[in-house]
Structures are given as C-alpha cells and as structure tokens.
Amino acid sequence: VRANGLDDKYFDVGSFKETSWADRATGIIKGLGFETHVQRKSKLWMNSYHVIVGPFATQEQADAAKKALETNGFKPHLTKLD
C-alpha cells in the first residue's frame, strides 16, 4: 500500500447500456495510454457497464489523466473499484 493512498483510486469515465459502447470508450482510452477496466453493474433487470481508468501512483499522474480524459470528451470522476 502506498503512503499517499492513491493506489485504490480510479476514474469512472462513463456508464453505458451496451457493451459495444463501453468497448469503444475503452479502446479510445487505451489509445491514450491508460489502463482501463469495465465493471458490469446490475439493477433489477437492467445492466450497465462502467468504464474505469487507473490506478494512479501519484497525484500528478491522476491530474494529468483527468485532463487528458476531459480533453477527449470524457467526464471523469473519482471512484473505487467494487
């Protein structure tokens, strides 16, 4: 565990109803050089697919990633993996 506590922080950059849209976003983000994960969440009979980016070793890396994601049309917000 890192002393700065950022090793468990990630950005959630979007929630999609279709896996194809989540895969498309993942491809774009991987092209930017970031590690991505897709989290499937279920609520009643509906599924959603959340695209998660990270983790980040330093605050500077997290800030740079957020800026790059925003520049490419994403709206990142900090989250933790379930």
Side-chain angles (χ1 to χ4, degrees):
V1 176
R2 294 185 183 100
N4 63 14
L6 283 178
D7 58 324
D8 63 346
K9 293 194 179 171
Y10 299 78
F11 288 114
D12 184 332
V13 296
S15 174
F16 304 92
K17 291 181 182 178
E18 302 285 335
T19 57
S20 60
W21 286 101
D23 291 343
R24 181 177 179 274
T26 296
I28 293 168
I29 295 165
K30 283 185 177 181
L32 297 174
F34 299 114
E35 184 178 344
T36 63
H37 312 273
V38 176
Q39 264 187 340
R40 180 176 165 255
K41 295 186 179 182
S42 298
K43 193 172 193 179
L44 300 175
W45 66 91
M46 302 274 300
N47 288 325
S48 64
Y49 303 89
H50 293 256
V51 177
I52 309 296
V53 182
F56 300 98
T58 66
Q59 186 64 46
E60 290 78 17
Q61 287 177 345
D63 291 343
K66 183 177 183 189
K67 185 174 183 177
L69 292 164
E70 289 172 339
T71 298
N72 284 277
F74 295 98
K75 296 177 181 170
H77 62 274
L78 282 175
T79 190
K80 291 188 178 187
L81 291 181
D82 292 340

